[in-house]
Amino acid sequence: MSNSGTTTQEGIAHDTVEAAIRAQLAKALGGVRGIIEAAVPTVAFTITWIVTEQLKPSLMISIGVAVLLLLVRLAQRSTPQFVINSLIGIGIGAFFASRTGEAKDVFLPGILYNGGYAAAMVLSIVVRWPVVGFLIGSVTGDPTGWRQDPGIVRLCSRLTWLLILPCLLRVVVQLPLYYADQVAALGVAKVALGWPVQVAALAAMVWVLARGRTPIAPSGPTPST
């Protein structure tokens, strides 16, 4: 099937901006299983640290759990994307911690990531290229056409702010805990501020989207009258 045909089918399936963004956000989240898979390695690390207060076994168990989840995905021939993301995250954290010998540094990459991600999204709003707009472009087949409609740009800016808030909250809560060497509290905060806060943000986005019906303008030349 050609790209134009695929784009046409997607346009039919999602006849409004709001429906398109809802569908793309659901895909990005990975469902309940994807959410759990993202949280389990951190839970394993935190529990092991609370029990042993030793870095090496905590890292080994956390990585082992992530690898086990990946093997289950591969055995079931389902997409391993979310497990791989989790494994990469815990792997980067393990590298940081192994270099410094400080268990708290497992959480440093996540804090830096959330801070950088929030800054990048704020910048996208300031320059009027809100990142949520590219979800529309992926549906219409025109990556930048959505910018021609000021109403869609405003909608995407509001939705991007809702994505920024969880990132800022994680940095504000976790950074003081990091400097205070509160490893167990960092683990609890990471889990608590992970999927529950993300789901709350997505629920707020769905509420905003449910209030409007902004038509998707198909890409391509406008027919003559």
Side-chain angles (χ1 to χ4, degrees):
M1 183 177 290
S2 65
N3 290 336
S4 61
T6 302
T7 301
T8 301
Q9 286 186 342
E10 289 175 340
I12 294 173
H14 307 298
D15 59 348
T16 67
V17 171
E18 291 79 9
I21 296 177
R22 284 199 300 269
Q24 293 291 66
L25 288 174
K27 186 188 299 183
L29 187 60
V32 174
R33 184 174 178 178
I35 290 170
I36 293 173
E37 288 170 341
V40 165
T42 299
V43 173
F45 176 88
T46 303
I47 292 175
T48 307
W49 171 262
I50 291 173
V51 173
T52 67
E53 292 191 357
Q54 295 186 28
L55 176 60
K56 188 174 181 178
S58 300
L59 289 174
M60 290 178 63
I61 290 177
S62 178
I63 294 173
V65 168
V67 171
L68 179 61
L69 291 172
L70 177 60
L71 292 176
V72 171
R73 279 283 193 176
L74 294 175
Q76 294 177 339
R77 296 184 179 181
S78 58
T79 176
Q81 172 189 347
F82 302 100
V83 180
I84 291 174
N85 291 344
S86 177
L87 186 57
I88 291 174
I90 198 67
I92 294 174
F95 173 77
F96 272 62
S98 63
R99 297 281 291 182
T100 64
E102 297 283 347
K104 67 177 183 179
D105 286 331
V106 169
F107 303 96
L108 182 58
I111 296 172
L112 296 176
Y113 171 81
N114 277 280
Y117 194 52
M121 286 194 290
V122 169
L123 179 61
S124 77
I125 294 173
V126 170
V127 300
R128 296 186 61 77
W129 284 87
V131 295
V132 174
F134 293 100
L135 296 179
I136 298 171
S138 68
V139 173
T140 63
D142 185 352
T144 60
W146 54 273
R147 292 196 74 245
Q148 299 174 10
D149 188 328
I152 294 180
V153 173
R154 287 193 296 271
L155 171 64
C156 292
S157 294
R158 290 196 296 271
L159 295 174
T160 302
W161 275 116
L162 290 174
L163 285 181
I164 292 170
L165 291 177
C167 296
L168 291 178
L169 181 60
R170 291 173 191 134
V171 173
V172 168
V173 172
Q174 289 182 292
L175 198 57
L177 294 174
Y178 174 82
Y179 283 118
D181 296 326
Q182 298 295 316
V183 177
L186 275 168
V188 172
K190 182 171 182 177
V191 174
L193 298 175
W195 67 264
V197 173
Q198 200 65 45
V199 168
L202 292 175
M205 295 175 75
V206 169
W207 179 79
V208 171
L209 292 169
R211 299 175 62 201
R213 288 190 57 82
T214 308
I216 290 180
S219 59
T222 303
S224 59
T225 55

